[in-house]
Amino acid sequence: MKTVEKCGYVAIVGRPNVGKSTLLNDLVGEKVSIVSPKPQTTRNQILGIKTVDNVQAVYIDTPGLHQAEERAMNRYMNRLANSVIMDADVVVFMIEATRWYDDDDAVLQRLEHSKGPVILAINKIDLLKDKSRLLPLISRLSERFKFANVVPMSAKKHENIAELEKVIMGFLPEGPHFFPDEQVTDKDERFQIAELIREKLIQLTEQEIPYSTTVVVDALELEGNLLKISAIIWVEREGQKPIVIGKDGALLKKIGTLARKDIEKLFKKKVFLRLWVKVKNDWTNNDRLLQGLGFE
Ligand SMILES: Nc1nc2c(ncn2[C@@H]2O[C@H](COP(=O)(O)OP(=O)(O)O)[C@@H](O)[C@H]2O)c(=O)[nH]1
Ligand SMILES: [Mg+2]
């Protein structure tokens, strides 16, 4: 007898910085979504695919929902997160065990629009000294929404992830797999490379720089086992250029070295990486330019 195939979309939603991308990477076992302590690291919708025997979960890592909508970039990210909540077969609503913000409330309110079951994932329990504090939190939130299940966990410390995965898999509908069983993400090489560079950029710069830069791979060539890459870091203003480059090019060099190591690890190839810094005026506030850079 043939076993029944199951497959479905699982939206991971929550405010910025709660740990969504960390969870996605942990679930699929590869760095498909970049991570940093700064909010708004994830800008695009990224799929992480995990197939276990006859069951395929297609996780959707969304840019965090947040309230400030002035910039075209933020509006775009909120729209994305909204439609994902409505369309997913299962929603994982992620919060932090130790904090509650207005942005968490904003996401909670949108859960009413979900068509599938919503699982409450309480992340970062490694930071919670007194675990008994979880109980009042769970009962307070359960009064506000009928969660299908509640799973306290730590994405970073890999605690209770298997339990969360089991719960999710149990809710997936019957149906054929959407992707080949060995595939782990929907993004192509250029995107993954640009993201790894952007991760280092975000981690190594301060203030507005992480939010006002984007990265585009403009050349990619494989020569034997050597991957030759040329990428452009776009900044918003002329004055940001020397900041990204650093004294005697030191910062740009560091970004390049760290990114190269991650790219080598991901593709299991030797990498030659050249980085350029260029100015594109006010790209985060320009809808047409965003489209040109692949934010559709
Ligand atoms: N202590 C702790 N930190 C975590 C945990 N999960 C994620 N983080 C950290 O929280 C920050 C934001 O994570 P990220 O996955 O980028 O959040 P996102 O904005 O929701 O995608 C990063 O510095 C992570 O290392 C966790 O379980 N425990
Ligand atoms: Mg993220």
Side-chain angles (χ1 to χ4, degrees):
M1 199 183 83
K2 198 172 174 293
T3 44
V4 185
E5 290 209 317
K6 287 180 163 193
C7 184
Y9 282 100
V10 183
I12 305 173
V13 299
R15 67 165 165 76
N17 220 31
V18 68
K20 299 178 296 297
S21 299
T22 308
L23 173 66
L24 182 82
N25 292 338
D26 201 60
L27 283 165
V28 304
E30 224 177 76
K31 191 161 179 175
V32 294
S33 192
I34 61 170
V35 170
S36 95
K38 296 175 185 126
Q40 298 187 41
T41 300
T42 309
R43 285 177 182 164
N44 303 68
Q45 177 173 299
I46 292 166
L47 298 187
I49 305 150
K50 171 88 173 272
T51 309
V52 183
D53 303 326
N54 59 323
V55 187
Q56 180 171 79
V58 183
Y59 295 99
I60 311 168
D61 185 16
T62 52
L65 279 162
H66 49 91
Q67 295 165 316
E69 289 218 339
E70 309 88 61
R71 295 189 132 189
M73 182 72 148
N74 291 353
R75 281 200 303 276
Y76 159 81
M77 297 201 298
N78 275 347
R79 268 203 308 273
L80 205 69
N82 272 334
S83 65
V84 161
I85 287 177
M86 290 195 294
D87 297 339
D89 298 296
V90 179
V91 173
V92 176
F93 171 46
M94 189 178 256
I95 61 167
E96 265 182 46
T98 55
R99 303 152 188 228
W100 182 263
Y101 295 91
D102 288 347
D103 278 344
D104 293 308
D105 249 295
V107 185
L108 181 62
Q109 281 163 32
R110 288 172 218 242
L111 296 179
E112 304 290 344
H113 304 293
S114 64
K115 70 168 188 203
V118 179
I119 299 161
L120 175 64
I122 307 177
N123 193 30
K124 307 197 187 183
I125 53 164
D126 53 299
L127 300 177
L128 193 68
K129 286 192 197 79
D130 179 7
K131 301 278 190 276
S132 70
R133 282 176 53 197
L134 281 173
L135 293 171
L137 176 69
I138 293 170
S139 68
R140 189 162 58 83
L141 289 172
S142 300
E143 275 168 28
R144 297 191 53 190
F145 192 87
K146 203 171 162 5
F147 294 106
N149 213 312
V150 180
V151 184
M153 53 163 285
S154 169
K156 198 170 175 177
K157 304 276 181 228
H158 199 76
E159 273 178 64
N160 237 9
I161 305 298
E163 171 64 22
L164 176 67
E165 194 175 15
K166 216 172 82 193
V167 171
I168 293 167
M169 295 283 201
F171 285 122
L172 294 178
E174 281 182 18
H177 295 184
F178 301 143
F179 295 92
D181 287 358
E182 62 287 347
Q183 193 171 333
V184 293
T185 185
D186 63 323
K187 294 288 178 280
D188 66 8
E189 289 171 342
R190 280 179 188 248
F191 180 88
Q192 288 187 288
I193 291 165
E195 285 288 277
L196 289 173
I197 298 166
R198 202 165 62 79
E199 181 183 69
K200 308 310 167 198
L201 190 64
I202 293 172
Q203 288 171 351
L204 295 172
T205 59
E206 298 299 328
Q207 287 157 10
E208 90 282 7
I209 303 280
Y211 311 110
S212 56
T213 45
T214 191
V215 179
V216 174
V217 172
D218 71 333
L220 184 63
E221 228 183 298
L222 186 63
E223 279 183 18
N225 199 40
L226 179 70
L227 197 56
K228 288 169 83 177
I229 305 162
S230 164
I232 303 168
I233 297 172
W234 291 101
V235 295
E236 266 179 351
R237 283 180 286 106
E238 198 61 51
Q240 293 170 335
K241 222 170 132 171
I243 302 175
V244 171
I245 293 169
K247 196 168 178 292
D248 300 323
L251 186 60
L252 191 63
K253 196 169 166 200
K254 197 166 174 194
I255 292 167
T257 305
L258 292 172
R260 180 174 52 76
K261 285 182 184 154
D262 271 14
I263 299 165
E264 289 183 336
K265 206 165 125 196
L266 188 65
F267 294 107
K268 298 174 186 73
K269 289 194 172 63
K270 274 209 79 62
V271 167
F272 174 72
L273 175 64
R274 283 182 85 169
L275 292 176
W276 314 86
V277 184
K278 294 185 182 176
V279 184
K280 198 160 231 168
N281 284 325
D282 206 13
W283 68 269
T284 54
N285 209 18
N286 183 323
D287 275 319
R288 290 225 358 240
L289 201 58
L290 282 173
Q291 278 167 19
L293 290 170
F295 297 98
E296 278 139 38

